[in-house]
Amino acid sequence: MSPHSDSLHAGYDRAKKMPADIIRYLTHPQVQIDPTVPVPQWGLSPLGRTRTEALANAG
């Protein structure tokens, strides 16, 4: 193995051949658009809340 192999395989379980850690990156959730409310104050729409909760509970 090269000197860099350990860093390239960090988080990889060789026995299982699967990532040891899973990283989920969430962007642009479904929001409730309200033209009377500033964009930074928009909350999640019902669909956005459902999807976010499902992702959070995915383990």
Side-chain angles (χ1 to χ4, degrees):
M1 279 193 183
S2 75
H4 302 293
S5 292
D6 290 336
S7 63
L8 291 174
H9 296 287
Y12 186 81
D13 185 336
R14 287 185 182 96
K16 294 180 183 175
K17 300 192 188 254
M18 295 175 55
D21 298 315
I22 296 173
I23 298 172
R24 292 183 174 97
Y25 181 71
L26 178 67
T27 63
H28 306 290
Q30 297 284 325
V31 296
Q32 186 66 48
I33 298 172
D34 184 343
T36 65
V37 175
V39 173
Q41 295 176 9
W42 286 356
L44 293 174
S45 69
L47 178 60
R49 183 168 305 281
T50 300
R51 288 179 174 173
T52 302
E53 288 172 355
L55 181 64
N57 294 322

